[in-house]
Amino acid sequence: MPTLEWIGKSKVINHHQDVPFRVLERKYSFDENGQHDEDNGSENMIIRGDNLEALKALLPRYEGRVKCIYIDPPYNTGNEGWVYNDNVNDPKIKKWLGEVVGKEGEDLTRHDKWLCMMYPRLKLLQKLLADDGAIFISIDDAEFFNLRSICNEVFGEQNFIATVIWRKNYAPKSTAKHFSEDHDYILVFGKNADMWTPHKMPRTEKQNKAYKNPDNDPRGLWRPNNLAARNYYSKGTYSITCPSGRVINGPPSGSYWRVSEEKFHELDKDGRIWWGKDGNNVPAPKIFLTEVSDGIVPQTLWSYEEVGHTQDAKKEIKSIFSGEMPFDTPKPYHLIERILQIASDSNSIILDSFAGSGTTAHAVLNMNKADGGHRKFILVEMMDYADSITAERVKRVIRGYGEGKNAVEGTGGSFSFYDLGEPLLVGDCLNEAVAPEKIREYIWFMETKQPYAPPSGGNPYYLGKHNSTGYYFYYEPQRVTVLDYAFLSTIMEKADGTVIYADRCSISEDKLAKMGVTFKKIPRDISRL
């Protein structure tokens, strides 16, 4: 498979492995009753901070669990005037490039910078995606080719699913220099395309109008299908005699009848062939409305009539923010709802790591209200407006917005707002500024891939049991801990095997093996998780 090369690639291709794990610090939670600071947070999350570090922080709990990812990264058009700077010259990105790519970064074009920014983020998104999940990425012509190329590398060319074309404008732009650009792309990849199955779209009234019943068939409405097809079929070249006596010597040149002669006569006998009112037409098999599936296969051309356009999105956000326009490039929430209809279930986790104005959360909350689902959203926004715009929009959607005839009822729901906290490790040492409970949670997630529920009572270093193995984190910030016989004597929890984290061990590996105990050294074996 051809691969794309750019300045700085060698520095970022494995950079996701070097990104430090940071803990997530919950700042507040919000629901229909307003903002509060109780200990129990919501499963919906909005995270403020660098999305590369936030994605790494999400791995312990969410690796392989996210059903649907939607991202709307910078299009890299060179437009400097947007709230979300769109040519990746934002100071945070420039600082990151200087640290990671080094002096080589001084010669980067804006395309090199964009690729350096996107590649490690896509690597982490791929890890978070479930085996039967899919990622949808909005983009335009400026970086479409580059995005497709690096997605082929990260997700595998065999996992490419489709390129959706969204017609985003309802009128041509008279100021366009050459062409009015009326569409964006949405690139779709699966974690494993063979395991991903899109949901079918509901049938529309317009689609059902094609079904009629001119012969009063008791089976109801139907539409004619073409008997001929271009796919080769060895039994599809026979002649047909119409009820009128007309003889059709065979299918049109270059095509074949879809069914064998024997099958054709079976269908005709069952009244499933339409010959026309005079019995002289080329026969057409009937497709009955009652026998078609409940929906239709998603198509790759999405019109603004179906999923909204950019002006819809701007009107919506102005309505939410009482006439203000705090974000210049929102997506219409109907567009995200279409993606969720196709790619999520009622209990799915949905991730958006370029959250912008929070459209993805808006779409999730709308769908949950409409069908009683329990979809969970995780939003990440690195810009300063993560709280004042992203989270604020979600608050207003939950509680309702607008006045009088323009009032929109709240969706209900909740979310917790997080900041990126301290790194778990500082150099080769555990960061003493991180609460031990956060480290315990991290170790448990990485060992078991399960949510951490602190056990009550008993050994204070006991993390819990998973798959018949007991886990212990023997750690004290102010002293060195030693796995010795004295510590083993404190273990009362029964398990087939035992894993113990400690600073040191005074028992030989042979003796540990006989007792079914595995020693893991702090912090060495934590950094390797």
Side-chain angles (χ1 to χ4, degrees):
M1 178 185 75
T3 58
L4 183 69
E5 297 296 328
W6 67 90
I7 296 174
K9 180 178 182 179
S10 62
K11 303 291 178 62
V12 299
I13 195 167
N14 291 313
H15 176 62
H16 63 285
Q17 297 174 353
D18 300 325
V19 176
F21 275 102
R22 292 184 179 273
V23 298
L24 295 174
E25 300 287 355
R26 190 171 65 85
K27 309 304 290 184
Y28 65 82
S29 293
F30 184 92
D31 59 22
E32 297 98 321
N33 299 315
Q35 189 167 309
H36 49 85
D37 300 313
E38 288 87 351
D39 290 337
N40 53 325
S42 170
E43 291 184 281
N44 293 322
M45 306 171 69
I46 299 178
I47 303 169
R48 175 171 54 192
D50 186 307
N51 55 13
L52 186 63
E53 294 182 332
L55 292 173
K56 192 69 174 278
L58 289 169
L59 280 178
R61 182 180 296 187
Y62 292 104
E63 183 172 358
R65 295 182 59 204
V66 178
K67 178 73 171 180
C68 176
I69 297 173
Y70 170 75
I71 58 172
D72 184 18
Y75 282 10
N76 203 15
T77 59
N79 186 340
E80 293 279 4
W82 294 357
V83 173
Y84 192 108
N85 188 304
D86 205 35
N87 76 348
V88 294
N89 278 325
D90 180 86
K92 295 183 179 69
I93 293 294
K94 292 179 75 172
K95 180 176 183 292
W96 177 80
L97 286 168
E99 292 171 351
V100 175
V101 179
K103 196 162 184 65
E104 194 177 355
E106 296 175 5
D107 298 325
L108 299 183
T109 68
R110 65 185 177 92
H111 298 290
D112 294 322
K113 294 176 185 176
W114 189 86
L115 287 162
C116 285
M117 183 271 292
M118 286 295 296
Y119 197 92
R121 287 161 173 80
L122 289 173
K123 293 285 279 190
L124 291 177
L125 288 168
Q126 193 270 349
K127 288 180 174 294
L128 289 162
L129 196 59
D131 288 340
D132 61 348
I135 183 172
F136 293 70
I137 310 174
S138 285
I139 203 69
D140 72 358
D141 283 310
E143 295 292 358
F144 175 79
F145 170 78
N146 289 334
L147 178 64
R148 173 67 195 271
S149 297
I150 59 176
C151 281
N152 283 344
E153 287 190 41
V154 173
F155 295 94
E157 190 173 14
Q158 73 279 8
N159 292 316
F160 168 73
I161 291 172
T163 300
V164 172
I165 296 175
W166 166 45
R167 188 180 178 193
K168 63 181 180 178
N169 295 326
Y170 62 85
K173 295 180 180 178
S174 59
T175 57
K177 183 178 180 180
H178 297 117
F179 287 87
S180 175
E181 296 180 358
D182 295 336
H183 71 276
D184 277 356
Y185 304 102
I186 301 176
L187 197 59
V188 188
F189 273 79
K191 178 74 166 280
N192 184 331
D194 292 336
M195 295 180 65
W196 185 73
T197 303
H199 297 301
K200 293 185 177 180
M201 300 302 299
R203 301 187 63 82
T204 65
E205 185 177 340
K206 181 179 178 181
Q207 290 161 343
N208 288 341
K209 282 183 177 179
Y211 291 80
K212 304 182 184 302
N213 193 1
D215 60 349
N216 295 316
D217 193 306
R219 286 164 290 201
L221 300 173
W222 56 270
R223 69 171 178 83
N225 193 22
N226 197 338
L227 182 62
R230 294 193 176 277
N231 294 333
Y232 172 73
Y233 182 39
S234 62
K235 297 181 180 181
T237 57
Y238 50 90
S239 62
I240 293 174
T241 302
C242 299
S244 66
R246 173 192 173 199
V247 176
I248 302 172
N249 291 321
S253 177
S255 62
Y256 306 85
W257 301 130
R258 293 177 182 273
V259 297
S260 67
E261 187 172 11
E262 180 182 5
K263 180 65 175 177
F264 174 79
H265 288 304
E266 288 179 10
L267 293 172
D268 189 30
K269 186 177 180 180
D270 192 30
R272 290 177 175 267
I273 297 295
W274 173 244
W275 298 94
K277 291 183 178 179
D278 300 324
N280 196 46
N281 288 8
V282 173
K286 295 179 180 179
I287 297 178
F288 290 94
L289 182 57
T290 56
E291 295 176 355
V292 297
S293 63
D294 292 335
I296 59 172
V297 174
Q299 297 175 281
T300 55
L301 184 60
W302 296 358
S303 67
Y304 59 75
E305 294 94 342
E306 297 173 322
V307 299
H309 48 66
T310 53
Q311 290 304 311
D312 285 335
K314 290 180 179 180
K315 289 178 182 177
E316 182 63 36
I317 200 166
K318 284 182 72 175
S319 174
I320 294 171
F321 284 91
S322 304
E324 296 182 14
M325 188 65 192
F327 192 86
D328 288 343
T329 58
K331 291 292 189 289
Y333 66 80
H334 288 302
L335 176 70
I336 313 304
E337 286 181 358
R338 167 66 63 88
I339 291 171
L340 299 182
Q341 286 174 335
I342 292 169
S344 76
D345 301 315
S346 61
N347 291 298
S348 294
I349 298 170
I350 292 99
L351 169 64
D352 182 348
S353 57
F354 290 87
S357 68
T359 307
T360 296
H362 191 162
V364 169
L365 291 166
N366 274 353
M367 292 190 69
N368 283 344
K369 180 181 179 182
D371 64 11
H374 296 89
R375 299 167 189 84
K376 278 79 70 179
F377 63 77
I378 303 172
L379 269 55
V380 183
E381 179 50 61
M382 69 181 290
M383 304 300 283
D384 294 336
Y385 56 72
D387 194 11
S388 61
I389 297 177
T390 312
E392 182 61 30
R393 175 181 184 171
V394 182
K395 292 176 184 178
R396 299 186 185 199
V397 169
I398 289 172
R399 300 187 74 173
Y401 56 90
E403 297 179 353
K405 65 179 182 179
N406 297 319
V408 177
E409 184 181 25
T411 60
S414 63
F415 72 89
S416 290
F417 188 88
Y418 293 83
D419 276 331
L420 280 174
E422 295 281 342
L424 197 69
L425 297 168
V426 177
D428 293 330
C429 300
L430 280 176
N431 186 352
E432 293 187 3
V434 176
E437 196 66 13
K438 291 286 186 181
I439 307 173
R440 290 163 62 87
E441 178 181 335
Y442 167 79
I443 291 172
W444 177 259
F445 280 139
M446 295 304 284
E447 287 281 5
T448 69
K449 306 302 182 188
Q450 299 296 313
Y452 178 58
S456 58
N459 192 315
Y461 305 108
Y462 181 53
L463 300 180
K465 185 167 70 172
H466 179 71
N467 290 340
S468 300
T469 299
Y471 293 90
Y472 294 81
F473 180 52
Y474 186 25
Y475 170 70
E476 294 289 347
Q478 303 301 322
R479 68 180 179 87
V480 174
T481 58
V482 180
L483 170 53
D484 53 19
Y485 289 108
F487 179 78
L488 289 178
S489 68
T490 67
I491 294 178
M492 301 300 175
E493 296 79 15
K494 294 182 178 179
D496 294 340
T498 304
V499 174
I500 301 173
Y501 285 82
D503 292 309
R504 297 178 184 172
C505 180
S506 64
I507 306 172
S508 70
E509 288 187 12
D510 291 343
K511 290 181 178 179
L512 288 175
K514 289 178 181 178
M515 292 183 287
V517 175
T518 300
F519 164 65
K520 293 197 173 184
K521 183 174 176 58
I522 300 172
R524 179 195 66 196
D525 292 324
I526 294 178
S527 64
R528 292 176 180 176
L529 289 177

